[in-house]
Amino acid sequence: MPGHRITELDSGLRVVTEAMPSVRSAALGFFVHTGSRGESVAEAGLSHFLEHLLFKGTDRYASAEIDKLFDGMGAELNAGTDKESTAVYARMLDQHLPAAFDVMADMVWRPAYQDVDPEREVVLEEIAMYEDDPQDTVFDVLGEAVFGDHPLGRPIIGRAPVIRDTPIEVIAEFHKRRYVPGNVVIAAAGSVDHDQIVELAQRTGHTHEGLEAVPAIEPAPNDPRATVRFVRKDTEQVHVTLGGLGLQRGDDRRFAARVLDAIFGGLSSSRLFQAVREERGLAYSVYSFTGQYSDTGQVGLYVGTRPDNLVEAMKVVSDELERLREQPATEEELVRARENVKARIVLGMESTGARMHRLGGSLLFGLPLLETDEVMERIDAVTLDDMRSLVDDLWAPGRLSAAGIGPDEDKFCAAVEGVAGTDTQLAA
């Protein structure tokens, strides 16, 4: 597999590329080390809103012109914001890479803040749509239960009053302090030439040099209290999440954690899926999940079930958690999960977009850029003892918080009693 190349410019801007000679497409991304975690309460949602505004035009390119340019190239332009980063990325034919780079660089470095008020309404509609979907919002309720008032416990999408009332000048200052060269990685994969990408990065320039340091983020809580949070809503299902602190992004145990997640609830053959859905028909959607941040992480599980099935479903979940603690994996489960995780990684790495995201994210967060064979070796090295150690750390009794959305708080709290914390709070 061809290796990657990294160049750091004098400004602190980093460029990382990986050539894939067998393809004619290229994936390009600008990764910015800023997300909802770096916001104050008064700024909650500005990272996400700013991501929208990057598409509303620059002094050189109007919003409609950006759309037409990328449509004319047959390219896909998109963006995303998470807890700790914002990314603007695209896929295009290799011949269009210079033109696409020029437009994307202008969007990232020099937004003109045009049509801000109509876009406020778009984001407010997005928030309203999001809040109408309990299957999405229950994860933010769990974030509040696990992280409390810490920024990691707040929704990425933001708060409607912030989106509605923040002046353009404040948004522009927010951009100036965060979209600085030392806080940005440009990543490209596919039919790309590293030296060309570096030259494009130098030629298209950047802004905001010499400003004060990027705002510091608040350290993650070390040992938050397990809590139960509930939002009352007239839903047909009760949406339940259980979870607690996980591994930070650079933890070497992350490979074992991925295997454990596959065994517990990440596959159709996993314990949760088989016990809750296949054997008893108590849910359509049930799974476990993991997430990593720079200095902490999160593990959890989700199940959506009708109110009449809630008690039985939570009893099954409780039994599976106890089983996980007693026997995290059999040798057969371990082999199957390791092979599945390896296959998903390899299949994903055949995509230029996946490789670009891997490059950008790894360099942005200071992770080693492991070659595929190295990753396979790390996964093959996961043992049953690794599983036992992780379960003790991540899924121990008393560490789990619970969050729910549904019609009856009392029934929910009774159903999760003994599985999660006892500090119950009714969410707003």
Side-chain angles (χ1 to χ4, degrees), residues 180-191:
V180 296
N183 216 32
V184 176
V185 168
I186 298 175
S191 180

Side-chain angles (χ1 to χ4, degrees), residues 219-301:
N222 291 324
D223 191 22
R225 182 177 180 182
T227 62
V228 177
R229 290 182 65 83
F230 183 80
V231 176
R232 190 197 172 282
K233 196 164 191 148
D234 290 327
T235 55
E236 294 297 319
Q237 284 189 314
V238 183
H239 300 271
V240 183
T241 51
L242 301 173
L245 294 184
L247 304 179
Q248 65 185 50
R249 190 177 281 111
D251 196 312
D252 285 340
R253 296 174 295 168
R254 65 189 182 276
F255 303 99
R258 191 161 178 179
V259 174
L260 178 63
D261 183 63
I263 292 168
F264 184 43
L267 306 177
S268 58
S269 63
S270 67
R271 294 180 177 185
L272 274 180
F273 191 89
Q274 289 294 315
V276 175
R277 173 171 162 156
E278 297 298 279
E279 295 173 12
R280 296 171 179 85
L282 295 172
Y284 174 79
S285 183
V286 54
Y287 54 87
S288 62
F289 57 90
T290 65
Q292 290 83 41
Y293 310 118
S294 59
D295 56 353
T296 188
Q298 188 177 347
V299 296
L301 64 88

Side-chain angles (χ1 to χ4, degrees), residues 100-294:
F101 192 107
D102 180 65
V103 178
M104 292 170 66
D106 223 40
M107 292 167 58
V108 168
W109 300 123
R110 292 173 284 274
Y113 306 108
Q114 300 169 355
D115 302 320
V116 172
D117 289 336
E119 198 61 25
R120 290 186 201 272
E121 297 303 316
V122 170
V123 176
L124 290 172
E125 290 293 342
E126 183 183 2
I127 292 173
M129 179 178 67
Y130 175 77
E131 291 179 345
D132 277 345
D133 187 349
Q135 195 168 354
D136 282 340
T137 54
V138 71
F139 293 96
D140 285 329
V141 182
L142 179 65
E144 295 171 3
V146 173
F147 294 107
D149 294 332
H150 190 277
L152 284 172
R154 292 200 294 263
I156 296 168
I157 199 168
R159 298 169 53 241
V162 173
I163 306 303
R164 185 179 57 243
D165 300 332
T166 302
I168 295 175
E169 296 77 15
V170 173
I171 299 170
E173 183 64 25
F174 186 90
H175 176 273
K176 286 176 63 177
R177 291 200 63 196
R178 290 161 174 82
Y179 282 60
V180 296
N183 216 32
V184 176
V185 168
I186 298 175
S191 180
V192 299
D193 177 81
H194 181 80
D195 294 332
Q196 179 193 39
I197 302 295
V198 171
E199 193 276 330
L200 288 168
Q202 293 171 325
R203 190 177 73 202
T204 55
H206 43 72
T207 53
H208 315 332
E209 284 189 277
L211 295 182
E212 57 187 295
V214 175
I217 61 172
E218 180 182 342
N222 291 324
D223 191 22
R225 182 177 180 182
T227 62
V228 177
R229 290 182 65 83
F230 183 80
V231 176
R232 190 197 172 282
K233 196 164 191 148
D234 290 327
T235 55
E236 294 297 319
Q237 284 189 314
V238 183
H239 300 271
V240 183
T241 51
L242 301 173
L245 294 184
L247 304 179
Q248 65 185 50
R249 190 177 281 111
D251 196 312
D252 285 340
R253 296 174 295 168
R254 65 189 182 276
F255 303 99
R258 191 161 178 179
V259 174
L260 178 63
D261 183 63
I263 292 168
F264 184 43
L267 306 177
S268 58
S269 63
S270 67
R271 294 180 177 185
L272 274 180
F273 191 89
Q274 289 294 315
V276 175
R277 173 171 162 156
E278 297 298 279
E279 295 173 12
R280 296 171 179 85
L282 295 172
Y284 174 79
S285 183
V286 54
Y287 54 87
S288 62
F289 57 90
T290 65
Q292 290 83 41
Y293 310 118
S294 59

